[in-house]
Amino acid sequence: MTYITDQQWATFDTDGYVRLGKIATDEMLVTMQQRIDDIMQGKADLDYRKIQLLERDAIFLEYMQLPIFAEAASHFYADRPVAAFRAMFMNKPANQGTVLPLHQDRWRALDQDPKLTIYTALDPAKVANGCVEIIKGTQHEILNPMHPSGFLTPEMEQNFVDDPRREPLILDAGEVVLMNP
């Protein structure tokens, strides 16, 4: 069975991302929301310093192993074994915490350039609560090869302030987006 259409892959290749809609069942989404709340509130019996390594959590691992995500990985990596570089939760309320500059998740320390990020909104992601921003079509080049994680300098960010390709990635709870970092 094919989950992702040729048209969706064409959008991904052109824009650098594609919306897949809601993937998890309502029950699975509620279970993941409760689990991340338990982890954040210290109610889970886990020894997490940060909310990452979620692939080690049975609830999140079950979700990550859905066939649609295997299909997405095989689109780039064929039959080669793949592993999650980082399965994490971002609690990113607007105007709180540290400033996260524009960046590409392009880590120079890896043996190959990442081709796929799978982003699931556990809660609604809106401009008011700090949703991700996308700059369509920038995935075909590394914008700042000097930074080990692809962070743009303040001067580089200025080039995108009024760029019409820059848009907020507004999502409902449960929506999934494939991104080419």
Side-chain angles (χ1 to χ4, degrees):
M1 175 177 197
T2 301
Y3 296 95
I4 305 167
T5 68
D6 290 342
Q7 180 58 48
Q8 287 174 307
W9 283 123
T11 298
F12 182 91
D13 292 338
T14 301
D15 294 344
Y17 76 102
V18 66
R19 294 170 177 268
L20 297 181
K22 189 175 174 185
I23 302 300
T25 64
D26 290 341
E27 180 182 353
M28 183 178 273
L29 179 61
V30 167
T31 300
M32 290 189 297
Q33 290 168 332
Q34 184 59 57
R35 183 64 171 164
I36 205 68
D37 286 349
D38 288 349
I39 292 169
M40 288 191 308
Q41 295 170 12
K43 296 177 184 175
D45 60 346
L46 301 171
D47 190 20
Y48 285 159
R49 185 175 72 82
K50 295 181 181 178
I51 305 177
Q52 57 185 11
L53 301 173
L54 291 175
E55 70 275 15
R56 295 182 182 175
D57 184 274
I59 291 169
F60 287 100
L61 181 61
E62 177 184 359
Y63 175 72
M64 292 168 59
Q65 291 177 329
L66 291 175
I68 191 169
F69 302 135
E71 178 183 317
S74 70
H75 180 80
F76 295 101
Y77 303 108
D79 293 330
R80 292 181 291 166
V82 296
F85 172 65
R86 181 171 65 180
M88 61 174 281
F89 173 78
M90 284 186 57
N91 188 11
K92 189 177 167 276
N95 305 314
Q96 296 181 23
T98 59
V99 173
L100 185 60
L102 287 178
H103 66 282
Q104 296 171 300
D105 289 334
R106 307 289 286 270
W107 300 282
R108 311 309 313 148
L110 299 178
D111 64 348
Q112 58 184 306
D113 195 26
K115 302 291 185 202
L116 179 65
T117 295
I118 301 170
Y119 171 37
T120 302
L122 292 182
D123 296 309
K126 311 291 181 199
V127 172
N129 68 357
C131 68
V132 169
E133 290 185 87
I134 296 286
I135 305 173
K136 291 181 180 180
T138 56
Q139 76 278 8
H140 297 296
E141 63 179 308
I142 297 174
L143 299 176
N144 186 2
M146 302 308 293
H147 192 280
S149 300
F151 281 59
L152 276 61
T153 66
E155 296 78 25
M156 291 172 169
E157 281 195 41
Q158 287 302 308
N159 295 329
F160 297 102
V161 168
D162 295 318
D163 192 312
R165 300 173 299 164
R166 185 174 176 174
E167 63 184 54
L169 190 57
I170 298 170
L171 302 170
D172 290 327
E175 278 193 86
V176 176
V177 175
L178 301 182
M179 296 186 283
N180 184 331

